[in-house]
Amino acid sequence: MAKLNMVQAINLAMRQEMEKDDSVIVLGEDVAVDGGVFRLALSGVSLELEGEIRAFGDSGDLDIDVWFASAQYNRGPWSLTLEYLREPLDYEGFPITGLEAIGTTVDGYYLQSQYRLSADWELLFRYEEAHFDKDDRDGTASAMRVPGTLPHYHYTRMWTLGLLWEPTENLLLRAEYSRADGTIFLSNLDNPDPLETERLWNMFALLVSYSF
């Protein structure tokens, strides 16, 4: 019997199940074509959710189809990653804001570059965008369609600079600074009143991880 590592065994088991049953499929961000230094991946999911817009006292149902496409290139100390998301939204209900009559396709992408300075240090640079309507990049038309909103509620453009340090095999520290234009990335739970948000904002994130 051939010896397999864990990844090979999992892939073999999934392949055998799909060959036996045509109804078996595999979805996920780890489903990819691995070409060594270049990787491609495609994944998707369909969701049915109950939604609430607390600022306007509105609620309804939301059907979402999410698709991700990603590509990664690795060569020497460099790693370049590109991901694109497309998310058609189908609203039902929402009588106050009238979202049912709107419908939209959210999209977004990011381009990230990582450079390994040494065995312990890594530098990261990322640019990302997101839009409530893929055909309305500055949010102007979306603000006219959704009552009580401003253009910057419907998009975000963000630049991020980060630094990673691994002083030991068990300890990892990562710091990131981001400068953003637009607020679509901001959570409604943390920001229930969108009128209190600002178009231009900064974010600093610090991660400390220790593995046992």
Side-chain angles (χ1 to χ4, degrees):
M1 179 181 295
K3 292 184 178 180
L4 304 176
N5 60 34
M6 183 180 68
V7 174
Q8 292 171 331
I10 293 174
N11 287 335
L12 178 60
M14 291 189 297
R15 181 184 298 276
Q16 290 174 342
E17 290 303 312
M18 288 189 289
E19 289 175 349
K20 289 191 299 183
D21 187 347
D22 292 339
S23 67
V24 176
I25 61 173
V26 179
L27 293 176
E29 290 190 59
D30 292 329
V31 181
V33 177
D34 188 350
V37 298
F38 189 72
R39 297 186 177 190
L40 295 174
L42 177 65
S43 59
V45 64
S46 293
L47 303 172
E48 295 181 2
L49 306 174
E50 294 181 357
E52 180 181 7
I53 305 178
R54 295 182 179 179
F56 302 103
D58 204 6
S59 62
D61 297 323
L62 178 61
D63 294 334
I64 307 176
D65 294 316
V66 185
W67 289 98
F68 293 93
S70 63
Q72 187 177 72
Y73 177 79
N74 300 287
R75 175 69 72 179
W78 287 99
S79 179
L80 303 175
T81 305
L82 172 65
E83 285 199 351
Y84 175 76
L85 171 148
R86 174 166 289 197
E87 186 177 316
L89 304 180
D90 182 17
Y91 296 94
E92 295 181 9
F94 298 98
I96 298 176
T97 56
L99 289 179
E100 184 172 6
I102 295 175
T104 187
T105 297
V106 175
D107 82 340
Y109 71 90
Y110 77 83
L111 176 62
Q112 178 172 286
S113 173
Q114 295 167 262
Y115 183 77
R116 178 66 68 169
L117 300 169
S118 68
D120 301 332
W121 292 89
E122 183 176 276
L123 187 65
L124 174 146
F125 177 77
R126 182 173 64 249
Y127 177 76
E128 53 198 310
E129 286 193 17
H131 316 93
F132 177 71
D133 184 339
K134 67 180 181 63
D135 298 318
D136 180 30
R137 316 303 274 186
D138 63 1
T140 302
S142 298
M144 296 178 64
R145 296 163 61 195
V146 182
T149 64
L150 297 173
H152 70 264
Y153 297 176
H154 303 285
Y155 72 88
T156 293
R157 291 183 284 270
M158 179 183 289
W159 300 86
T160 298
L161 182 64
L163 186 64
L164 180 147
W165 180 39
E166 297 177 275
T168 71
E169 293 183 356
N170 305 96
L171 180 62
L172 180 149
L173 296 94
R174 181 169 179 167
E176 291 187 0
Y177 169 77
S178 300
R179 176 66 172 171
D181 176 3
T183 60
I184 198 173
F185 282 169
L186 297 181
S187 168
N188 291 331
L189 296 177
D190 296 328
N191 302 272
D193 186 356
L195 297 177
E196 294 183 356
T197 61
E198 297 183 3
R199 173 184 166 184
L200 301 175
W201 51 282
N202 303 308
M203 179 174 66
F204 179 76
L206 179 62
L207 169 70
V208 179
S209 173
Y210 186 83
S211 59
F212 296 91

